[in-house]
Amino acid sequence: MIKPDGVQRGLVGEIISRFERRGLKLVAIKVESPSKEHLEKHYSDLASKPFFPSLIKYMTSGPVVAMVWEGRGAASLGRQLLGQTNPTASAPGTIRGDFCIDMGSNLIHGSDSQESAQKEIDLWFPNGVTEYQLDSAKWVYEQ
Ligand SMILES: Nc1ncnc2c1ncn2[C@@H]1O[C@H](COP(=O)(O)OP(=O)(O)OP(=O)(O)O)[C@@H](O)[C@H]1O
């Protein structure tokens, strides 16, 4: 998910492009201003953290772009593309390492496992994703 700062800073195309170029397949995407309740559900595992109220404020400060990307090892690949939670610890070449500085404005969220991805897909895309064959996959994966 591209967070409100990523949308406002005009980084949607750049971020999508990095996922595409890596070889991942886009199967769902939408622009949305999620409610506080929706985000509290999304980040329910962090509810006891001291930064939780500021996280919810940040995440409701503007629209986000929610996406589902498929591919072999997509969750861990996605996290590599993102960089570390703290942008100052993120290597150049990662999205956070290239475009941001602050943990409270770190541009993008990525599911941390296949299981959390499934939960988040159910939350953000209750009508499911679009299944199709990506023709370039035969050039991305060894045949
Ligand atoms: N110590 C902190 N201070 C301020 N904000 C924080 C802090 N830790 C995490 N956050 C914010 O909460 C988000 C969720 O924290 P989490 O520990 O799940 O990190 P993450 O998995 O890298 O990030 P995300 O879930 O957004 O992909 C972070 O991306 C960041 O925006």
Side-chain angles (χ1 to χ4, degrees), residues 21-99:
R21 289 187 316 220
R22 189 64 193 257
L24 293 169
K25 176 167 86 163
L26 182 62
V27 294
I29 185 167
K30 65 176 173 184
V31 184
E32 189 176 287
S33 295
S35 67
K36 186 168 175 278
E37 292 68 35
H38 186 88
L39 285 159
E40 285 170 350
K41 243 186 236 168
H42 174 83
Y43 278 127
S44 58
D45 55 323
L46 301 175
S48 63
K49 300 283 184 192
F51 58 82
F52 190 68
S54 61
L55 174 61
I56 298 301
K57 191 169 167 224
Y58 162 41
M59 293 300 300
T60 51
S61 63
V64 301
V65 177
M67 302 175 284
V68 182
W69 292 90
E70 275 181 11
R72 191 176 301 153
S76 71
L77 258 185
R79 299 284 287 187
Q80 283 174 24
L81 290 170
L82 265 57
Q84 304 293 309
T85 306
N86 185 349
T88 58
S90 298
T94 64
I95 293 166
R96 287 171 176 157
D98 285 348
F99 298 114

Side-chain angles (χ1 to χ4, degrees), residues 1 19 42 67-69 73-80 82 108-121 124:
M1 168 172 51
F19 280 76
H42 174 83
M67 302 175 284
V68 182
W69 292 90
S76 71
L77 258 185
R79 299 284 287 187
Q80 283 174 24
L82 265 57
I108 183 162
H109 158 77
S111 309
D112 59 13
S113 66
Q114 180 79 40
E115 293 69 40
S116 57
Q118 195 51 60
K119 262 203 257 169
E120 291 171 7
I121 292 167
W124 289 87

Side-chain angles (χ1 to χ4, degrees), residues 4-20:
D5 47 335
V7 174
Q8 296 296 340
R9 291 180 56 195
L11 290 169
V12 172
E14 169 72 36
I15 291 169
I16 289 177
S17 182
R18 288 179 179 222
F19 280 76
E20 276 187 318

